Amino acid sequence: MAPAVARGRKAQKVTQKFVINASQPANDKIFDVSAFEKFLHDRIKVEGRVGNLGDKVVISQVGDGKVEVVAHIPFSGRYLKYLTKKYLKKQQLRDWLRVVSTSKGVYELRFYNVASEEADEDEE
């Protein structure tokens, strides 16, 4: 028996907002925010197709070093994290930067904490 389907009603509009904060590496001039924004424009898939953003997904720069992605469709934050990691790998920055979720829908690019590791080695 097929599940009951509500007729005559449109699907609920879902709006999700994600922010990728890259201000720390951008201030150190090792991360190009506009190139990252273009990378997201070129790579985000909508309905299984690249370059199919339309008005469903809007990508924009906000402030210094922040990229905002507003999706009017169901959209995964993990997918955004995956694409960010992919960009870092492509730019050979993956060894120095990591993507950390600071709160729901907010991701931050941080440097690996190398200073504390060096301090640990000195103590031995």
Side-chain angles (χ1 to χ4, degrees), residues 2 5 12 16 19 26 38-39 42 46 51 57 59 66 72 78 82-84 92 98 101 103 108 114 117 121 123:
V5 177
Q12 254 186 329
Q16 294 171 297
V19 176
K38 184 182 181 332
F39 176 84
D42 296 344
V46 176
V57 178
I59 305 166
K66 291 184 182 178
H72 300 293
R78 296 285 301 173
Y82 161 77
L83 286 173
T84 305
Q92 297 170 343
R98 64 190 194 140
S101 176
S103 64
E108 188 175 326
V114 181
E117 291 172 12
E121 290 172 9
E123 290 172 6

Side-chain angles (χ1 to χ4, degrees), residues 26-71:
N27 290 342
D28 291 348
K29 306 275 192 284
I30 66 162
F31 189 83
D32 186 4
V33 180
S34 52
F36 176 60
E37 182 187 5
K38 184 182 181 332
F39 176 84
L40 289 178
H41 268 287
D42 296 344
R43 296 292 176 98
I44 289 180
K45 287 184 177 181
V46 176
E47 295 168 3
R49 294 177 57 207
V50 173
N52 192 21
L53 296 180
D55 58 349
K56 295 175 185 162
V57 178
V58 179
I59 305 166
S60 59
Q61 279 190 46
V62 187
D64 55 326
K66 291 184 182 178
V67 175
E68 185 179 73
V69 178
V70 179

